[in-house]
Amino acid sequence: MPPRPRMLAAAITAALAVGAQAVPAAAADGAATGPSATTSRGVEIPAFYTPPSELPGADGTVIRSEPLPLALSLPGIDGPLPGRATRLMYKSTDANGEAVAVTGAYIEPAAKWRGEGPRPLVAVAPGTMGQGDQCAASMALEHPLRLNGQTVSVGYEDLSVYRLLLRGVAVVVTDYVGLGTTDRLHTYVNRVDGAHAVLDAVRAARSLDSSSVTSDSRVGLFGYSQGGGATAAAAELQPSYAPDVELSGTYAGAPPADLTEVTKAIDGGDLAGALGWSLNGFLQTEPALRPIADRYVNAAGEEALKDLSTMCVGDALFGYGGESSTDWTKTGQSLGDIIRAEPALQAFLAKQRIGALRPGSPVRVATGTADDLVPHAQARRLAVDWCDKGAKVTYVPVVLPGVGSGLLNHFGPLLADQGNAISWLTDRLSGEPAGSNCWSMPVQP
């Protein structure tokens, strides 16, 4: 790994650890460690995360739940601060229409909701965590920082969760399809899988005994990067897939709406390892693509795909930052070149495109104008596509100077805009109507 990405990886890992207030966590009370427990890069995955052989029929049905000890928690008069957490597994449907178990966490806040109406619920779709089961966001709530010599996992998404809890908003976090659950690989940036996992997390949270939210509670979605893509897709698919989950507002930050453009941007960059997560997930969802992979991917590429399948984002930064996909192919072509040469790949990625459907509720699209990791132009294009379809869109260009690092250009807007994004969403949860600035798109950067 070249020196610059290695130094950058170390700096980002440290910065995110501070941003998430990461501290060593005690072992989970009563964590399942029976014969079904597995291990990923030296981290024991509790048996809780192994799905049963039979799943319930209704999407959002809770399969199992247990108390989840939060690493950052203080005693309070009315219970632990910032809230009481529950680990959960619920049923969803994947992109192939098959039943799938998804894990996550629900947190009942200690703070009172001071807005209009009953306590609302926000489904948080995490940003890129990785593909190893130990990277799951629900585990990161318990262990915000893992450094065991085999994996580097940082729960940077904990910050947004805690900020929402402090406002009295109940939060449910999805781990996505295959992240945490030990029966399959995580289908990274899969449009349908991500959307369904987010929407079914809302259904699951409503049915928990530990939850104060009901069908009358307003619902919002919150996500950045991979999470922004998942919430954007969920906003589009909600009217058809989950008409019972009425949305008051959706925040989609730095959404990877066009994976063809995102692929070109990350190849050879700080997070080049994400190419491997995408390929692994796509090959699992669409086995018909396997002959294409066999035709192009060389031995080094196969080894990288296997290695990345158990990595978290920190591991990928250290292990594959700065690598080019040309090193993984028999022909020396880049993944972008191969996509242009293979109609089947083009068709598959076209189905992953977000922006073809009209969200039925207000959306806030934010993108850093200097973001060259999840490119600004394709995120802005999503806002334009939605505006053209008559959606109620608040478009926010986050203007920050480029600093020569794709990762910093991507994470800078996350931190700069997060407070405003949460305020916008809580306004929707309080019943305040959303505006739209679609009229201004011709002059927006």
Side-chain angles (χ1 to χ4, degrees):
M1 180 178 178
R4 189 190 64 82
R6 187 180 300 278
M7 292 175 63
L8 178 61
I12 291 297
T13 299
L16 292 180
V18 172
Q21 302 176 48
V23 296
D29 295 333
T33 56
S36 296
T38 61
T39 301
S40 180
R41 290 189 177 263
V43 176
E44 189 172 80
I45 309 301
F48 183 96
Y49 290 85
T50 299
S53 57
E54 295 186 8
L55 300 178
D59 290 321
T61 300
V62 175
I63 299 167
R64 64 174 69 118
S65 64
E66 68 177 17
L68 172 63
L70 295 175
L72 302 173
S73 183
L74 296 172
I77 297 175
D78 298 320
L81 300 172
R84 194 179 302 276
T86 301
R87 198 189 321 264
L88 66 144
M89 177 184 286
Y90 58 94
K91 187 262 182 181
S92 189
T93 298
D94 69 15
N96 292 324
E98 301 295 328
V100 61
V102 181
T103 54
Y106 171 80
I107 306 99
E108 177 75 15
K112 292 181 179 180
W113 166 245
R114 302 190 183 280
E116 179 186 318
R119 187 190 299 279
L121 173 69
V122 167
V124 171
T128 296
M129 306 300 288
Q131 201 159 45
D133 288 329
Q134 78 279 11
C135 318
S138 63
M139 295 187 199
L141 287 166
E142 184 179 1
H143 302 281
L145 180 62
R146 291 189 191 270
L147 296 169
N148 67 354
Q150 298 182 57
T151 190
V152 179
S153 176
V154 181
Y156 63 89
E157 204 64 73
D158 294 3
L159 181 60
S160 62
V161 171
Y162 276 57
R163 294 180 77 165
L164 286 162
L165 293 173
L166 291 174
R167 292 185 179 226
V169 177
V171 175
V172 64
V173 182
T174 181
D175 289 335
Y176 298 124
V177 173
L179 191 58
T181 47
T182 58
D183 62 333
R184 65 185 67 204
L185 282 178
H186 170 41
T187 47
Y188 182 68
V189 295
N190 184 293
R191 179 179 68 94
V192 174
D193 280 13
H196 288 184
V198 169
L199 294 168
D200 287 326
V202 173
R203 288 166 161 161
R206 286 173 171 174
S207 67
L208 283 173
D209 292 338
S210 58
S211 168
S212 63
V213 299
T214 68
S215 57
D216 293 327
S217 298
R218 292 190 177 98
V219 176
L221 308 181
F222 186 96
Y224 188 87
S225 193
Q226 180 187 359
T231 58
E236 286 191 341
L237 293 178
Q238 176 272 328
S240 59
Y241 180 75
D244 56 306
V245 180
E246 185 176 346
L247 298 176
S248 295
T250 294
Y251 163 63
D258 185 341
L259 295 186
T260 300
E261 293 302 313
V262 176
T263 294
K264 291 188 293 186
I266 65 176
D267 199 349
D270 301 324
L271 201 56
L275 294 176
W277 297 329
S278 301
L279 285 171
N280 283 333
F282 294 159
L283 291 173
Q284 178 176 257
T285 297
E286 188 56 78
L289 298 178
R290 172 53 68 179
I292 298 176
D294 291 341
R295 190 158 64 248
Y296 285 101
V297 180
N298 61 20
E302 291 289 354
E303 182 59 33
L305 293 180
K306 181 180 178 181
D307 193 26
L308 283 159
S309 71
T310 60
M311 282 188 166
C312 298
V313 64
D315 308 321
L317 289 171
F318 286 115
Y320 291 93
E323 289 209 4
S324 171
S325 63
T326 57
D327 296 330
W328 298 353
T329 63
K330 297 173 183 177
T331 60
Q333 292 171 278
S334 68
L335 181 56
D337 293 335
I338 294 170
I339 290 171
R340 286 189 289 273
E342 295 290 341
L345 282 176
Q346 295 170 27
F348 181 84
L349 291 176
K351 290 191 297 183
Q352 300 299 323
R353 178 76 179 266
I354 306 170
L357 301 173
R358 177 184 179 273
S361 52
V363 291
R364 181 183 192 270
V365 179
T367 167
T369 57
D371 192 343
D372 49 0
L373 186 71
V374 179
H376 164 70
Q378 59 85 45
R380 184 187 184 281
R381 179 75 242 174
L382 173 63
V384 171
D385 289 342
W386 278 345
C387 285
D388 289 346
K389 291 175 174 57
K392 187 169 287 188
V393 180
T394 299
Y395 170 73
V396 181
V398 183
V399 181
L400 294 173
V403 295
S405 161
L407 201 62
L408 291 176
N409 289 338
H410 181 58
F411 274 101
L414 164 66
L415 299 176
D417 183 56
Q418 190 175 82
N420 292 331
I422 289 174
S423 293
W424 179 90
L425 190 56
T426 52
D427 284 347
R428 308 288 80 74
L429 298 174
S430 293
E432 295 185 23
S436 174
N437 64 351
C438 284
W439 60 270
S440 69
M441 289 306 300
V443 297
Q444 292 278 16

